[in-house]
Amino acid sequence: MRRLNNMPYVTYGLLAVTIIVFILEVLAGGSQDSLVLLNFGARYNLSILQGQWWRFITPMFLHIGLMHLVVNAVSLYYLGLMTESIFGHWRFLVIYLASGIAGNIASFVFNPNSLSAGASTAIFGLLGAFLLLGDVFRDNVAVRQLSRQYLLLVGLNLVFNLFSPGIDISGHIGGLVGGFLVAGAVGAPNLGEISVSRRWLTGGLFVLAAAALLVLGYRG
């Protein structure tokens, strides 16, 4: 049981689902085919406005092309191993899924005319979770240094996004902020305690921000 608890099985599970879905995309006609992506649940605002709310969830398991999959799979593997070991299994899963949803909601509002897919919204959420740790546990030298490294990585990625056509920067920022807030809400007991007031505050901000964006998106 101890060995199982120490195994990052949530990370492995997410990777397995992502790879299986990609194979199904290819078999269905190609991962870069817009119709295939649409049928598999890519974020498409018109469909969401018609009631297909699950398109806030499914895009994080879809990828457009092999390179897109490889980059995100490698990122998920390395960030997932570390995040799952620090936060624990279910907290890591909540951060990953909630960040992906937050990123897709932001994309729904600020990038309404695109068909989008990819795990990068959730992966940016994992980076956001590390930024939260660096803020809360700043007295921990190792955590503080790691957080600074990831802050630099976030900055470089966002700058790269600005000059790269086809990259949904709004989804990345939404995932980043979502991960920061959700990580604060679920806590990281393996590192230490986060005050109850802060956990309620960050959780409440996440819910309010997501609700406000959804209202804005549906009215827009």
Side-chain angles (χ1 to χ4, degrees):
M1 285 299 297
R2 179 176 297 177
R3 183 176 180 181
L4 179 63
N5 285 333
N6 291 332
M7 182 182 297
Y9 53 80
V10 176
T11 298
Y12 294 156
L14 291 171
L15 279 169
V17 170
T18 301
I19 292 171
I20 290 170
V21 170
F22 183 80
I23 293 172
L24 293 176
E25 287 180 68
V26 173
L27 294 176
S31 64
Q32 300 187 59
D33 185 291
S34 297
L35 185 58
V36 171
L37 291 167
L38 188 63
N39 289 338
F40 272 72
R43 186 201 51 83
Y44 181 58
N45 278 24
L46 183 59
S47 297
I48 292 174
L49 293 172
Q50 292 174 343
Q52 297 180 15
W53 53 266
W54 57 86
R55 291 182 186 272
F56 289 123
I57 303 170
T58 50
M60 71 182 85
F61 298 103
L62 299 173
H63 288 85
I64 306 171
L66 181 60
M67 185 56 64
H68 190 205
L69 170 71
V70 170
V71 170
N72 281 344
V74 171
S75 299
L76 171 57
Y77 177 76
Y78 286 106
L79 282 173
L81 292 181
M82 193 173 302
T83 312
E84 189 169 355
S85 67
I86 292 175
F87 285 92
H89 306 301
W90 75 263
R91 290 179 176 85
F92 163 66
L93 182 61
V94 168
I95 293 169
Y96 188 86
L97 295 177
S99 300
I101 293 170
N104 288 321
I105 291 175
S107 181
F108 170 67
V109 176
F110 299 110
N111 194 19
N113 299 318
S114 69
L115 182 72
S116 65
S120 53
T121 52
I123 290 169
F124 265 83
L126 301 184
L127 293 171
F130 277 103
L131 299 186
L132 180 280
L133 294 178
D135 181 46
V136 175
F137 302 107
R138 63 188 66 179
D139 293 334
N140 185 315
V141 176
V143 171
R144 187 171 68 245
Q145 290 178 344
L146 188 62
S147 178
R148 287 175 178 173
Q149 291 175 7
Y150 283 127
L151 179 61
L152 177 61
L153 182 61
V154 167
L156 291 174
N157 270 277
L158 293 179
V159 170
F160 177 75
N161 289 175
L162 290 173
F163 299 99
S164 301
I167 293 182
D168 188 359
I169 189 171
S170 58
H172 291 176
I173 294 174
L176 179 72
V177 175
F180 184 93
L181 294 175
V182 174
V186 300
N190 291 341
L191 276 182
E193 290 296 322
I194 298 177
S195 68
V196 174
S197 60
R198 176 155 188 168
R199 293 180 66 180
W200 276 102
L201 176 62
T202 52
L205 285 174
F206 177 84
V207 172
L208 288 175
L213 287 176
L214 283 172
V215 171
L216 182 62
Y218 275 96
R219 287 185 176 178

CSV table of all heavy atoms in Angstrom, one decimal, residues 144-204:
chain,number,residue,atom,x,y,z
A,144,ARG,N,11.2,28.0,-2.5
A,144,ARG,CA,11.3,29.4,-3.0
A,144,ARG,C,12.1,29.4,-4.3
A,144,ARG,O,11.8,30.0,-5.3
A,144,ARG,CB,11.9,30.3,-2.0
A,144,ARG,CG,12.0,31.8,-2.4
A,144,ARG,CD,12.4,32.7,-1.2
A,144,ARG,NE,13.8,32.5,-0.9
A,144,ARG,CZ,14.2,32.0,0.3
A,144,ARG,NH1,13.3,31.7,1.2
A,144,ARG,NH2,15.5,31.9,0.6
A,145,GLN,N,13.2,28.6,-4.3
A,145,GLN,CA,14.1,28.6,-5.5
A,145,GLN,C,13.4,27.9,-6.7
A,145,GLN,O,13.5,28.4,-7.8
A,145,GLN,CB,15.4,27.8,-5.2
A,145,GLN,CG,16.3,28.6,-4.2
A,145,GLN,CD,17.6,27.8,-3.9
A,145,GLN,OE1,17.6,26.6,-4.1
A,145,GLN,NE2,18.6,28.5,-3.4
A,146,LEU,N,12.7,26.8,-6.4
A,146,LEU,CA,11.9,26.1,-7.4
A,146,LEU,C,10.8,27.0,-8.0
A,146,LEU,O,10.6,27.1,-9.2
A,146,LEU,CB,11.3,24.9,-6.8
A,146,LEU,CG,10.6,23.9,-7.8
A,146,LEU,CD1,11.7,23.4,-8.8
A,146,LEU,CD2,10.0,22.7,-7.1
A,147,SER,N,10.1,27.8,-7.1
A,147,SER,CA,9.1,28.7,-7.6
A,147,SER,C,9.6,29.8,-8.5
A,147,SER,O,9.0,30.1,-9.5
A,147,SER,CB,8.4,29.3,-6.3
A,147,SER,OG,7.4,30.2,-6.7
A,148,ARG,N,10.8,30.3,-8.1
A,148,ARG,CA,11.4,31.3,-8.9
A,148,ARG,C,11.8,30.8,-10.3
A,148,ARG,O,11.7,31.4,-11.3
A,148,ARG,CB,12.7,31.9,-8.3
A,148,ARG,CG,12.4,32.7,-7.1
A,148,ARG,CD,13.6,33.2,-6.3
A,148,ARG,NE,13.4,34.1,-5.2
A,148,ARG,CZ,14.3,34.5,-4.4
A,148,ARG,NH1,15.5,34.1,-4.5
A,148,ARG,NH2,13.9,35.3,-3.4
A,149,GLN,N,12.3,29.5,-10.4
A,149,GLN,CA,12.6,28.9,-11.7
A,149,GLN,C,11.3,28.8,-12.5
A,149,GLN,O,11.4,29.0,-13.7
A,149,GLN,CB,13.2,27.5,-11.4
A,149,GLN,CG,14.6,27.6,-10.8
A,149,GLN,CD,15.1,26.2,-10.5
A,149,GLN,OE1,14.5,25.2,-10.8
A,149,GLN,NE2,16.3,26.1,-9.8
A,150,TYR,N,10.3,28.4,-11.9
A,150,TYR,CA,9.0,28.2,-12.6
A,150,TYR,C,8.4,29.6,-13.0
A,150,TYR,O,7.8,29.7,-14.1
A,150,TYR,CB,8.0,27.4,-11.9
A,150,TYR,CG,8.3,25.9,-11.9
A,150,TYR,CD1,8.4,25.2,-10.7
A,150,TYR,CD2,8.5,25.3,-13.1
A,150,TYR,CE1,8.7,23.8,-10.8
A,150,TYR,CE2,8.8,23.9,-13.2
A,150,TYR,CZ,8.9,23.2,-12.0
A,150,TYR,OH,9.2,21.9,-12.0
A,151,LEU,N,8.6,30.6,-12.2
A,151,LEU,CA,8.2,31.9,-12.6
A,151,LEU,C,8.9,32.4,-13.8
A,151,LEU,O,8.3,33.0,-14.7
A,151,LEU,CB,8.4,32.9,-11.4
A,151,LEU,CG,8.1,34.4,-11.7
A,151,LEU,CD1,6.6,34.5,-11.9
A,151,LEU,CD2,8.4,35.2,-10.5
A,152,LEU,N,10.2,32.1,-13.9
A,152,LEU,CA,11.0,32.5,-15.1
A,152,LEU,C,10.5,31.7,-16.3
A,152,LEU,O,10.3,32.2,-17.4
A,152,LEU,CB,12.5,32.2,-14.9
A,152,LEU,CG,13.4,32.4,-16.1
A,152,LEU,CD1,13.4,33.9,-16.5
A,152,LEU,CD2,14.8,32.0,-15.7
A,153,LEU,N,10.2,30.4,-16.1
A,153,LEU,CA,9.6,29.6,-17.2
A,153,LEU,C,8.3,30.1,-17.7
A,153,LEU,O,8.0,30.1,-18.9
A,153,LEU,CB,9.5,28.1,-16.7
A,153,LEU,CG,9.0,27.1,-17.7
A,153,LEU,CD1,9.9,27.0,-18.9
A,153,LEU,CD2,8.8,25.7,-17.0
A,154,VAL,N,7.4,30.5,-16.7
A,154,VAL,CA,6.1,31.1,-17.1
A,154,VAL,C,6.3,32.3,-17.9
A,154,VAL,O,5.7,32.5,-19.0
A,154,VAL,CB,5.3,31.4,-15.8
A,154,VAL,CG1,4.1,32.3,-16.2
A,154,VAL,CG2,4.8,30.1,-15.2
A,155,GLY,N,7.2,33.2,-17.5
A,155,GLY,CA,7.5,34.5,-18.2
A,155,GLY,C,8.0,34.2,-19.6
A,155,GLY,O,7.5,34.8,-20.6
A,156,LEU,N,8.9,33.3,-19.8
A,156,LEU,CA,9.4,33.0,-21.1
A,156,LEU,C,8.4,32.4,-22.0
A,156,LEU,O,8.3,32.7,-23.2
A,156,LEU,CB,10.6,32.0,-21.0
A,156,LEU,CG,11.9,32.6,-20.3
A,156,LEU,CD1,12.9,31.4,-20.1
A,156,LEU,CD2,12.5,33.7,-21.2
A,157,ASN,N,7.5,31.5,-21.4
A,157,ASN,CA,6.5,30.9,-22.2
A,157,ASN,C,5.4,31.9,-22.7
A,157,ASN,O,5.0,31.9,-23.8
A,157,ASN,CB,5.8,29.8,-21.4
A,157,ASN,CG,6.4,28.5,-21.6
A,157,ASN,OD1,6.1,27.8,-22.6
A,157,ASN,ND2,7.3,28.1,-20.7
A,158,LEU,N,5.1,32.9,-21.8
A,158,LEU,CA,4.1,33.9,-22.2
A,158,LEU,C,4.6,34.8,-23.2
A,158,LEU,O,3.9,35.2,-24.1
A,158,LEU,CB,3.6,34.6,-20.9
A,158,LEU,CG,2.8,33.8,-19.9
A,158,LEU,CD1,2.4,34.7,-18.7
A,158,LEU,CD2,1.6,33.2,-20.6
A,159,VAL,N,5.9,35.2,-23.1
A,159,VAL,CA,6.5,36.0,-24.1
A,159,VAL,C,6.5,35.3,-25.5
A,159,VAL,O,6.2,35.9,-26.5
A,159,VAL,CB,7.9,36.4,-23.7
A,159,VAL,CG1,8.7,37.1,-24.9
A,159,VAL,CG2,7.9,37.4,-22.5
A,160,PHE,N,6.9,34.0,-25.4
A,160,PHE,CA,6.9,33.2,-26.6
A,160,PHE,C,5.5,33.1,-27.3
A,160,PHE,O,5.3,33.2,-28.5
A,160,PHE,CB,7.4,31.8,-26.3
A,160,PHE,CG,7.4,30.8,-27.5
A,160,PHE,CD1,8.3,30.9,-28.5
A,160,PHE,CD2,6.4,29.9,-27.6
A,160,PHE,CE1,8.3,30.1,-29.6
A,160,PHE,CE2,6.4,29.0,-28.6
A,160,PHE,CZ,7.3,29.1,-29.6
A,161,ASN,N,4.5,33.0,-26.4
A,161,ASN,CA,3.1,33.0,-26.9
A,161,ASN,C,2.7,34.2,-27.6
A,161,ASN,O,2.0,34.1,-28.6
A,161,ASN,CB,2.1,32.8,-25.7
A,161,ASN,CG,2.2,31.4,-25.0
A,161,ASN,OD1,1.5,31.2,-24.0
A,161,ASN,ND2,3.0,30.5,-25.6
A,162,LEU,N,3.2,35.4,-27.2
A,162,LEU,CA,2.8,36.6,-27.8
A,162,LEU,C,3.3,36.7,-29.3
A,162,LEU,O,2.7,37.3,-30.1
A,162,LEU,CB,3.5,37.8,-27.0
A,162,LEU,CG,2.8,38.1,-25.7
A,162,LEU,CD1,3.7,39.2,-25.0
A,162,LEU,CD2,1.4,38.5,-25.8
A,163,PHE,N,4.4,36.0,-29.6
A,163,PHE,CA,4.9,36.1,-30.9
A,163,PHE,C,4.7,34.8,-31.7
A,163,PHE,O,5.3,34.6,-32.8
A,163,PHE,CB,6.4,36.4,-30.9
A,163,PHE,CG,6.7,37.7,-30.2
A,163,PHE,CD1,7.1,37.8,-28.9
A,163,PHE,CD2,6.6,38.9,-30.9
A,163,PHE,CE1,7.4,39.0,-28.3
A,163,PHE,CE2,6.9,40.1,-30.3
A,163,PHE,CZ,7.2,40.2,-29.0
A,164,SER,N,3.8,33.9,-31.2
A,164,SER,CA,3.6,32.6,-31.9
A,164,SER,C,2.1,32.6,-32.4
A,164,SER,O,1.2,32.5,-31.5
A,164,SER,CB,3.9,31.5,-31.0
A,164,SER,OG,5.3,31.5,-30.6
A,165,PRO,N,1.9,32.6,-33.6
A,165,PRO,CA,0.5,32.6,-34.1
A,165,PRO,C,-0.1,31.2,-33.8
A,165,PRO,O,0.6,30.2,-33.8
A,165,PRO,CB,0.6,32.8,-35.6
A,165,PRO,CG,2.0,32.4,-35.9
A,165,PRO,CD,2.8,32.8,-34.7
A,166,GLY,N,-1.4,31.2,-33.5
A,166,GLY,CA,-2.1,29.9,-33.2
A,166,GLY,C,-2.1,29.4,-31.8
A,166,GLY,O,-2.7,28.4,-31.5
A,167,ILE,N,-1.3,30.1,-30.9
A,167,ILE,CA,-1.2,29.7,-29.5
A,167,ILE,C,-2.2,30.6,-28.7
A,167,ILE,O,-2.3,31.8,-28.9
A,167,ILE,CB,0.2,29.9,-29.0
A,167,ILE,CG1,1.1,28.9,-29.6
A,167,ILE,CG2,0.2,29.7,-27.5
A,167,ILE,CD1,2.5,29.0,-29.1
A,168,ASP,N,-3.0,29.9,-27.9
A,168,ASP,CA,-4.1,30.5,-27.2
A,168,ASP,C,-3.6,31.0,-25.8
A,168,ASP,O,-3.6,30.3,-24.8
A,168,ASP,CB,-5.2,29.5,-27.0
A,168,ASP,CG,-6.5,30.1,-26.3
A,168,ASP,OD1,-6.5,31.3,-26.1
A,168,ASP,OD2,-7.5,29.4,-26.2
A,169,ILE,N,-3.0,32.2,-25.8
A,169,ILE,CA,-2.4,32.8,-24.6
A,169,ILE,C,-3.5,33.0,-23.5
A,169,ILE,O,-3.2,32.9,-22.3
A,169,ILE,CB,-1.7,34.1,-24.9
A,169,ILE,CG1,-0.9,34.5,-23.7
A,169,ILE,CG2,-2.6,35.2,-25.4
A,169,ILE,CD1,0.1,35.7,-24.0
A,170,SER,N,-4.7,33.3,-23.9
A,170,SER,CA,-5.8,33.5,-22.9
A,170,SER,C,-6.0,32.3,-22.1
A,170,SER,O,-6.2,32.3,-20.9
A,170,SER,CB,-7.0,34.0,-23.6
A,170,SER,OG,-7.5,33.1,-24.5
A,171,GLY,N,-6.0,31.1,-22.8
A,171,GLY,CA,-6.2,29.8,-22.1
A,171,GLY,C,-5.0,29.5,-21.2
A,171,GLY,O,-5.2,29.0,-20.1
A,172,HIS,N,-3.8,29.9,-21.6
A,172,HIS,CA,-2.7,29.7,-20.7
A,172,HIS,C,-2.7,30.5,-19.5
A,172,HIS,O,-2.5,30.0,-18.4
A,172,HIS,CB,-1.4,30.0,-21.5
A,172,HIS,CG,-1.1,29.0,-22.6
A,172,HIS,ND1,0.0,29.1,-23.5
A,172,HIS,CD2,-1.8,27.8,-23.0
A,172,HIS,CE1,-0.1,28.1,-24.3
A,172,HIS,NE2,-1.1,27.3,-24.1
A,173,ILE,N,-3.1,31.8,-19.6
A,173,ILE,CA,-3.2,32.7,-18.5
A,173,ILE,C,-4.3,32.2,-17.6
A,173,ILE,O,-4.2,32.2,-16.3
A,173,ILE,CB,-3.4,34.1,-18.9
A,173,ILE,CG1,-2.1,34.6,-19.7
A,173,ILE,CG2,-3.7,35.0,-17.7
A,173,ILE,CD1,-2.2,36.0,-20.3
A,174,GLY,N,-5.4,31.8,-18.2
A,174,GLY,CA,-6.5,31.3,-17.4
A,174,GLY,C,-6.2,30.1,-16.6
A,174,GLY,O,-6.5,30.0,-15.4
A,175,GLY,N,-5.4,29.2,-17.2
A,175,GLY,CA,-5.0,28.0,-16.5
A,175,GLY,C,-4.0,28.3,-15.4
A,175,GLY,O,-4.1,27.8,-14.3
A,176,LEU,N,-3.1,29.3,-15.6
A,176,LEU,CA,-2.1,29.7,-14.7
A,176,LEU,C,-2.8,30.2,-13.4
A,176,LEU,O,-2.5,29.8,-12.3
A,176,LEU,CB,-1.2,30.7,-15.3
A,176,LEU,CG,-0.1,31.3,-14.4
A,176,LEU,CD1,1.0,30.2,-14.2
A,176,LEU,CD2,0.5,32.5,-15.1
A,177,VAL,N,-3.7,31.2,-13.6
A,177,VAL,CA,-4.4,31.8,-12.5
A,177,VAL,C,-5.2,30.8,-11.8
A,177,VAL,O,-5.3,30.7,-10.5
A,177,VAL,CB,-5.2,33.0,-13.0
A,177,VAL,CG1,-6.0,33.6,-11.8
A,177,VAL,CG2,-4.3,34.1,-13.6
A,178,GLY,N,-5.9,29.9,-12.6
A,178,GLY,CA,-6.8,28.9,-12.0
A,178,GLY,C,-6.0,28.0,-11.1
A,178,GLY,O,-6.4,27.6,-10.0
A,179,GLY,N,-4.8,27.6,-11.6
A,179,GLY,CA,-3.9,26.7,-10.8
A,179,GLY,C,-3.5,27.3,-9.5
A,179,GLY,O,-3.4,26.7,-8.4
A,180,PHE,N,-3.1,28.6,-9.6
A,180,PHE,CA,-2.7,29.3,-8.4
A,180,PHE,C,-3.8,29.3,-7.3
A,180,PHE,O,-3.6,29.0,-6.1
A,180,PHE,CB,-2.3,30.7,-8.8
A,180,PHE,CG,-1.8,31.6,-7.6
A,180,PHE,CD1,-0.4,31.7,-7.4
A,180,PHE,CD2,-2.6,32.3,-6.8
A,180,PHE,CE1,0.1,32.4,-6.4
A,180,PHE,CE2,-2.1,33.1,-5.8
A,180,PHE,CZ,-0.7,33.1,-5.6
A,181,LEU,N,-5.0,29.6,-7.7
A,181,LEU,CA,-6.1,29.8,-6.8
A,181,LEU,C,-6.6,28.4,-6.3
A,181,LEU,O,-6.8,28.3,-5.0
A,181,LEU,CB,-7.3,30.5,-7.5
A,181,LEU,CG,-7.1,31.9,-7.9
A,181,LEU,CD1,-8.3,32.5,-8.6
A,181,LEU,CD2,-6.8,32.8,-6.6
A,182,VAL,N,-6.7,27.4,-7.1
A,182,VAL,CA,-7.1,26.1,-6.7
A,182,VAL,C,-6.1,25.5,-5.7
A,182,VAL,O,-6.4,24.8,-4.7
A,182,VAL,CB,-7.4,25.2,-7.9
A,182,VAL,CG1,-7.7,23.8,-7.4
A,182,VAL,CG2,-8.5,25.7,-8.7
A,183,ALA,N,-4.8,25.6,-6.0
A,183,ALA,CA,-3.8,25.1,-5.2
A,183,ALA,C,-3.9,25.7,-3.8
A,183,ALA,O,-3.7,25.0,-2.8
A,183,ALA,CB,-2.4,25.4,-5.7
A,184,GLY,N,-4.2,27.0,-3.7
A,184,GLY,CA,-4.4,27.6,-2.4
A,184,GLY,C,-5.6,27.1,-1.7
A,184,GLY,O,-5.6,27.0,-0.4
A,185,ALA,N,-6.6,26.7,-2.4
A,185,ALA,CA,-7.8,26.2,-1.8
A,185,ALA,C,-7.7,24.8,-1.3
A,185,ALA,O,-8.1,24.5,-0.2
A,185,ALA,CB,-9.0,26.2,-2.8
A,186,VAL,N,-7.0,23.9,-2.0
A,186,VAL,CA,-6.9,22.5,-1.6
A,186,VAL,C,-5.7,22.3,-0.6
A,186,VAL,O,-5.7,21.4,0.2
A,186,VAL,CB,-6.7,21.6,-2.8
A,186,VAL,CG1,-7.8,21.7,-3.7
A,186,VAL,CG2,-5.4,21.8,-3.5
A,187,GLY,N,-4.7,23.2,-0.6
A,187,GLY,CA,-3.6,23.1,0.3
A,187,GLY,C,-2.6,22.1,-0.1
A,187,GLY,O,-2.7,21.3,-1.0
A,188,ALA,N,-1.5,22.1,0.7
A,188,ALA,CA,-0.4,21.2,0.4
A,188,ALA,C,0.1,20.7,1.8
A,188,ALA,O,1.2,21.1,2.2
A,188,ALA,CB,0.8,21.9,-0.3
A,189,PRO,N,-0.6,19.7,2.4
A,189,PRO,CA,-0.2,19.3,3.7
A,189,PRO,C,1.1,18.6,3.8
A,189,PRO,O,1.7,18.5,4.9
A,189,PRO,CB,-1.4,18.3,4.1
A,189,PRO,CG,-2.0,17.9,2.8
A,189,PRO,CD,-1.8,19.1,1.9
A,190,ASN,N,1.6,18.1,2.7
A,190,ASN,CA,3.0,17.5,2.7
A,190,ASN,C,4.1,18.5,3.0
A,190,ASN,O,5.2,18.1,3.4
A,190,ASN,CB,3.2,16.7,1.4
A,190,ASN,CG,2.4,15.5,1.2
A,190,ASN,OD1,1.8,15.0,2.2
A,190,ASN,ND2,2.2,15.0,0.0
A,191,LEU,N,3.8,19.8,2.7
A,191,LEU,CA,4.7,20.8,2.9
A,191,LEU,C,4.4,21.6,4.2
A,191,LEU,O,5.4,22.0,5.0
A,191,LEU,CB,4.7,21.8,1.8
A,191,LEU,CG,5.6,21.5,0.6
A,191,LEU,CD1,5.5,22.6,-0.5
A,191,LEU,CD2,7.0,21.3,0.9
A,192,GLY,N,3.2,21.8,4.5
A,192,GLY,CA,2.8,22.6,5.7
A,192,GLY,C,1.4,23.0,5.6
A,192,GLY,O,0.7,22.7,4.6
A,193,GLU,N,1.0,23.8,6.6
A,193,GLU,CA,-0.4,24.2,6.6
A,193,GLU,C,-0.6,25.6,5.9
A,193,GLU,O,0.3,26.4,6.0
A,193,GLU,CB,-0.9,24.4,8.1
A,193,GLU,CG,-1.1,23.0,8.8
A,193,GLU,CD,-2.1,22.2,8.2
A,193,GLU,OE1,-3.2,22.7,7.8
A,193,GLU,OE2,-1.9,20.9,8.2
A,194,ILE,N,-1.7,25.7,5.2
A,194,ILE,CA,-2.2,27.0,4.7
A,194,ILE,C,-3.4,27.4,5.5
A,194,ILE,O,-4.3,26.6,5.8
A,194,ILE,CB,-2.5,26.9,3.2
A,194,ILE,CG1,-1.3,26.4,2.4
A,194,ILE,CG2,-3.1,28.2,2.7
A,194,ILE,CD1,-1.6,26.2,0.9
A,195,SER,N,-3.4,28.6,5.9
A,195,SER,CA,-4.5,29.1,6.8
A,195,SER,C,-5.8,28.8,6.2
A,195,SER,O,-6.0,28.9,5.0
A,195,SER,CB,-4.3,30.6,7.2
A,195,SER,OG,-4.5,31.4,6.0
A,196,VAL,N,-6.8,28.5,7.1
A,196,VAL,CA,-8.2,28.3,6.6
A,196,VAL,C,-8.7,29.5,5.9
A,196,VAL,O,-9.4,29.3,4.8
A,196,VAL,CB,-9.1,27.9,7.8
A,196,VAL,CG1,-10.5,27.7,7.3
A,196,VAL,CG2,-8.6,26.6,8.4
A,197,SER,N,-8.4,30.7,6.4
A,197,SER,CA,-9.0,31.9,5.8
A,197,SER,C,-8.4,32.1,4.3
A,197,SER,O,-9.2,32.4,3.4
A,197,SER,CB,-8.6,33.1,6.6
A,197,SER,OG,-7.2,33.3,6.7
A,198,ARG,N,-7.1,31.7,4.2
A,198,ARG,CA,-6.6,31.9,2.8
A,198,ARG,C,-7.1,30.8,1.9
A,198,ARG,O,-7.4,31.1,0.7
A,198,ARG,CB,-5.0,31.7,2.9
A,198,ARG,CG,-4.4,31.8,1.5
A,198,ARG,CD,-3.0,32.2,1.5
A,198,ARG,NE,-2.5,32.4,0.2
A,198,ARG,CZ,-1.4,33.1,-0.1
A,198,ARG,NH1,-0.6,33.6,0.8
A,198,ARG,NH2,-1.0,33.2,-1.4
A,199,ARG,N,-7.4,29.6,2.4
A,199,ARG,CA,-7.9,28.6,1.5
A,199,ARG,C,-9.3,29.0,1.1
A,199,ARG,O,-9.7,28.8,-0.1
A,199,ARG,CB,-7.9,27.3,2.3
A,199,ARG,CG,-6.5,26.7,2.5
A,199,ARG,CD,-6.5,25.4,3.3
A,199,ARG,NE,-7.1,24.4,2.5
A,199,ARG,CZ,-7.2,23.1,2.9
A,199,ARG,NH1,-6.8,22.8,4.1
A,199,ARG,NH2,-7.8,22.2,2.1
A,200,TRP,N,-10.1,29.5,2.0
A,200,TRP,CA,-11.5,29.9,1.6
A,200,TRP,C,-11.4,31.1,0.7
A,200,TRP,O,-12.2,31.2,-0.3
A,200,TRP,CB,-12.3,30.3,2.9
A,200,TRP,CG,-12.9,29.2,3.6
A,200,TRP,CD1,-12.5,28.5,4.7
A,200,TRP,CD2,-14.1,28.5,3.1
A,200,TRP,NE1,-13.3,27.5,5.0
A,200,TRP,CE2,-14.3,27.4,4.1
A,200,TRP,CE3,-15.0,28.6,2.1
A,200,TRP,CZ2,-15.4,26.6,4.0
A,200,TRP,CZ3,-16.1,27.8,2.0
A,200,TRP,CH2,-16.3,26.8,2.9
A,201,LEU,N,-10.5,32.0,0.9
A,201,LEU,CA,-10.4,33.2,0.0
A,201,LEU,C,-10.0,32.8,-1.4
A,201,LEU,O,-10.6,33.2,-2.4
A,201,LEU,CB,-9.3,34.1,0.6
A,201,LEU,CG,-9.0,35.4,-0.3
A,201,LEU,CD1,-10.3,36.2,-0.5
A,201,LEU,CD2,-7.9,36.2,0.3
A,202,THR,N,-9.0,31.9,-1.6
A,202,THR,CA,-8.6,31.5,-2.9
A,202,THR,C,-9.6,30.7,-3.6
A,202,THR,O,-9.9,30.8,-4.8
A,202,THR,CB,-7.2,30.8,-2.9
A,202,THR,OG1,-7.3,29.7,-1.9
A,202,THR,CG2,-6.1,31.7,-2.5
A,203,GLY,N,-10.3,29.8,-2.8
A,203,GLY,CA,-11.3,29.0,-3.4
A,203,GLY,C,-12.5,29.8,-3.9
A,203,GLY,O,-13.1,29.6,-5.0
A,204,GLY,N,-12.9,30.8,-3.0
A,204,GLY,CA,-14.0,31.7,-3.4
A,204,GLY,C,-13.6,32.6,-4.6
A,204,GLY,O,-14.5,32.8,-5.5
